[in-house]
Amino acid sequence: MTKISIITINYNDKIGLSKTINSVLNQSWQKFEFIVIDGGSNDGGLEVIEQFKDKIDYWVSEPDKGVYNAMNKGIKVAKGEYLIFMNSGDTFYDDQVLEKIENQLTDEFDIYYGDYYRVYSNSTKKRTFPEKLSFSFFYSSSLSHQSSVIRRKLFFDIFLYNEEYKIASDWEFFIYAICHKNVPYKYLNLTISNFDFSGISSIGKFKDLDKEERAKTINKYFPLFVDDYTQVSELNSKRFKQIFHIQNYSKAWKFLKMMISFTLLFVPKIKK
């Protein structure tokens, strides 16, 4: 049985698709299945797929109903025991990532995750994750599907991605699997991917939609936490506005950062 299937979805992003395909094919460990699900691109994406078709195990180019519909198509045709979603524009952090991951996958855990770099148009920023995940972690964050390895069977034991959502379906899957079904997981202390942050979920105007979809999931699967979730969301919003307001006054912002640094430097360490 194939151990890992890499699923790449694409729609009208031929440059990103080419970058992702090259990253996948440059991996030092090559015993994976490679799947490309294209949404019927008309920008030359199909020609890119044709160029690499002898290296792609399965591909299709046809209209779909959105990102999560395309990801579900990949899940259904995949033959690997574990899945990695590396969508067009995303790349592996280096050419040895799969080699480092492959020998850590065991029957003990169903979800593995690691760190990634957010790639903006003119900068990069590393995102690291804790070894222990909790419901409070998922209040304001999520795992990255680009840096997660998921046992394929989970999608059929739990559910496939929610195709009614445009932003938060992968978050819904993770919070339900880990916080509701208590699925065993493991943090891989390594950087797995470079996440192209020009996608829909990273654009500011979609933040409200993301919040709305997350609220629907909390209502559906965690009804006892609805009030807490609402209060925390409102509190975080107020904190953001306060910080943004302070940042507009450079002297105040510099003073605040200086005080934080001073506190961290001189507060006594607590001995265990």
Side-chain angles (χ1 to χ4, degrees), residues 201-219:
S201 61
S202 58
I203 298 174
K205 67 180 181 179
F206 292 106
K207 294 299 182 183
D208 288 343
L209 179 58
D210 181 45
K211 182 179 177 181
E212 178 184 323
E213 290 177 353
R214 289 184 181 220
K216 287 181 180 178
T217 294
I218 296 297
N219 274 279

Side-chain angles (χ1 to χ4, degrees), residues 1-8 21 24-25 29-37 48-61 73-74 77-80 82-84 98:
M1 181 180 183
T2 303
K3 195 165 192 177
I4 297 175
S5 293
I6 302 169
I7 299 172
T8 295
I21 290 176
V24 171
L25 298 183
W29 185 80
Q30 286 282 314
K31 297 179 183 179
F32 55 78
E33 178 187 42
F34 189 23
I35 296 169
V36 177
I37 307 294
V48 173
I49 296 173
E50 290 280 358
Q51 178 185 349
F52 294 100
K53 66 180 182 180
D54 60 325
K55 301 292 180 66
I56 299 172
D57 296 286
Y58 176 93
W59 68 270
V60 65
S61 182
K73 283 184 180 181
V77 300
K79 297 177 181 178
Y82 295 94
L83 308 179
I84 299 176
L98 289 181

Side-chain angles (χ1 to χ4, degrees), residues 10 14 20 46 62 71 107 121 141 164 192 241 254:
N10 174 71
K14 67 176 183 179
T20 302
L46 183 56
E62 62 186 13
M71 293 172 77
D107 292 336
S121 58
S141 189
E164 294 181 2
I192 295 178
K241 290 177 181 178
K254 289 179 181 178

Side-chain angles (χ1 to χ4, degrees), residues 7 19 31 80 92 153 159 177 182 212 248 251 253 262 268:
I7 299 172
K19 183 169 65 173
K31 297 179 183 179
F92 286 107
K153 187 175 180 290
F159 46 64
N182 199 30
E212 178 184 323
N248 286 334
K251 290 183 179 179
W253 180 239
F262 180 86

Side-chain angles (χ1 to χ4, degrees), residues 17-194:
L17 177 62
S18 180
K19 183 169 65 173
T20 302
I21 290 176
N22 277 293
S23 175
V24 171
L25 298 183
N26 285 336
Q27 286 295 297
S28 58
W29 185 80
Q30 286 282 314
K31 297 179 183 179
F32 55 78
E33 178 187 42
F34 189 23
I35 296 169
V36 177
I37 307 294
D38 180 72
S41 295
N42 54 23
D43 70 335
L46 183 56
E47 287 75 8
V48 173
I49 296 173
E50 290 280 358
Q51 178 185 349
F52 294 100
K53 66 180 182 180
D54 60 325
K55 301 292 180 66
I56 299 172
D57 296 286
Y58 176 93
W59 68 270
V60 65
S61 182
E62 62 186 13
D64 55 48
K65 299 176 183 177
V67 171
Y68 294 114
N69 176 243
M71 293 172 77
N72 283 340
K73 283 184 180 181
I75 294 169
K76 291 174 183 177
V77 300
K79 297 177 181 178
E81 183 179 359
Y82 295 94
L83 308 179
I84 299 176
F85 297 93
M86 193 65 62
N87 296 342
S88 62
D90 302 324
T91 59
F92 286 107
Y93 175 66
D94 60 38
D95 293 343
Q96 289 75 46
V97 168
L98 289 181
E99 185 178 342
K100 297 170 186 174
I101 289 175
E102 182 271 334
N103 60 12
Q104 297 192 59
L105 305 180
T106 69
D107 292 336
E108 187 176 355
F109 303 99
D110 291 335
I111 295 175
Y112 298 81
Y113 62 97
D115 304 326
Y116 68 86
Y117 274 93
R118 294 178 177 179
V119 180
Y120 301 93
S121 58
N122 56 2
S123 65
T124 60
K125 184 177 181 181
K126 189 172 184 180
R127 175 72 166 91
T128 59
F129 291 92
E131 291 187 17
K132 183 176 177 60
L133 301 174
S134 62
F135 190 78
S136 60
F137 166 81
F138 286 104
Y139 259 91
S140 57
S141 189
S142 182
L143 300 180
S144 160
H145 60 246
Q146 293 87 348
S147 287
S148 298
V149 185
I150 307 169
R151 192 182 298 276
R152 178 177 179 268
K153 187 175 180 290
L154 276 187
F155 289 102
F156 300 96
D157 290 344
I158 299 177
F159 46 64
L160 293 170
Y161 286 125
N162 184 348
E163 296 181 13
E164 294 181 2
Y165 286 1
K166 294 184 181 299
I167 307 289
S169 193
D170 47 339
W171 172 85
E172 178 181 68
F173 177 84
F174 283 129
I175 192 174
Y176 184 83
I178 292 171
C179 298
H180 195 285
K181 301 298 288 185
N182 199 30
V183 166
Y185 61 85
K186 181 180 180 181
Y187 171 63
L188 301 175
N189 189 21
L190 59 92
T191 303
I192 295 178
S193 69
N194 300 307

